[in-house]
C-alpha cells in the first residue's frame, strides 16, 4: 500500500508491506530451490538406472559386463544444481569412446540423448507438484 502525505514543500511517500513481500519472495525461492534439488536427484537417478541398463545390454548399446566392476562403478555426483553420472574404473573411457580395436559403446552419451526429454519432464513435474 502506498500513502502520499503532503507537507508543505515536500511530499512523503511511504510504501507499506515491503518487508512482508520480501519475506514471501524469499520463502518462495527456498521452496523453488528445494523442489529443484529434488527434481535433479530424481532425474539423475533415472539417468543412472538407464546407464546401468545400457551397460547390462538392455538398451541399444552392446553389453559391457564381464566382471561386473564397470556396472557397479556407476555413481552419481550432485553439486548444487548440477549432477553427473560417472564411472571411476580406468577403462570406462575406452568402453565409452572406443579404441583402435573396439568400437565405442556410448553407454553414457547415448543414454543422455535418449533420456533428455524424460529428465526434463521429471524436473518439470517435480517443480510443478511442489510449487
Amino acid at each position: 500500500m502506498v500513502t502520499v502525505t503532503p507537507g508543505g514543500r515536500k511530499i512523503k511517500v511511504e510504501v507499506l508491506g515491503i518487508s512482508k513481500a520480501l519475506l514471501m519472495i524469499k520463502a518462495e525461492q527456498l521452496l523453488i530451490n528445494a523442489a529443484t534439488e529434488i527434481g535433479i536427484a530424481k532425474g539423475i537417478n533415472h539417468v543412472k538406472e538407464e546407464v546401468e541398463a545400457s551397460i547390462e545390454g538392455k538398451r541399444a548399446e552392446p553389453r559391457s559386463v564381464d566382471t561386473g566392476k564397470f556396472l557397479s562403478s556407476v555413481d552419481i555426483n550432485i553439486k548444487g544444481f548440477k549432477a553427473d553420472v560417472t564411472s571411476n574404473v580406468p577403462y570406462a573411457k575406452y568402453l565409452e569412446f572406443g579404441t583402435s580395436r573396439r568400437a565405442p559403446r556410448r553407454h553414457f552419451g547415448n543414454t543422455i540423448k535418449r533420456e533428455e526429454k524424460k529428465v526434463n519432464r521429471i524436473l518439470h513435474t517435480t517443480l510443478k507438484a511442489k510449487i
Side-chain angles (χ1 to χ4, degrees):
M1 180 172 137
V2 177
T3 61
V4 178
T5 309
R9 300 174 88 184
K10 296 179 184 177
I11 295 177
K12 180 181 175 185
V13 177
E14 184 179 356
V15 180
L16 304 175
I18 291 288
S19 59
K20 185 177 179 182
L22 289 174
L23 285 174
M24 289 172 60
I25 290 169
K26 286 180 183 178
E28 192 66 24
Q29 186 62 53
L30 290 173
L31 184 63
I32 291 168
N33 289 351
T36 301
E37 289 174 355
I38 292 168
I40 288 170
K42 286 181 179 181
I44 204 66
N45 275 304
H46 172 73
V47 171
K48 179 182 185 274
E49 291 170 2
E50 287 298 310
V51 167
E52 291 170 340
S54 172
I55 292 168
E56 290 174 318
K58 296 178 180 176
R59 300 295 179 266
E61 298 75 35
R63 182 184 159 132
S64 295
V65 177
D66 185 17
T67 64
K69 188 174 180 181
F70 179 43
L71 177 62
S72 65
S73 75
V74 178
D75 198 14
I76 294 171
N77 299 308
I78 301 175
K79 288 188 178 184
F81 295 134
K82 293 183 179 184
D84 297 317
V85 176
T86 62
S87 169
N88 64 358
V89 295
Y91 52 88
K93 61 185 173 190
Y94 303 122
L95 291 169
E96 183 71 9
F97 301 110
T99 66
S100 61
R101 295 182 185 170
R102 180 184 300 256
R105 299 200 177 177
R106 306 287 296 156
H107 297 295
F108 294 87
N110 289 347
T111 297
I112 198 60
K113 285 179 188 173
R114 263 193 312 268
E115 301 303 316
E116 183 178 13
K117 288 180 182 177
K118 171 107 186 208
V119 170
N120 284 330
R121 277 195 310 272
I122 290 169
L123 185 56
H124 178 78
T125 303
T126 304
L127 281 166
K128 194 172 178 180
K130 299 287 182 183
I131 297 175

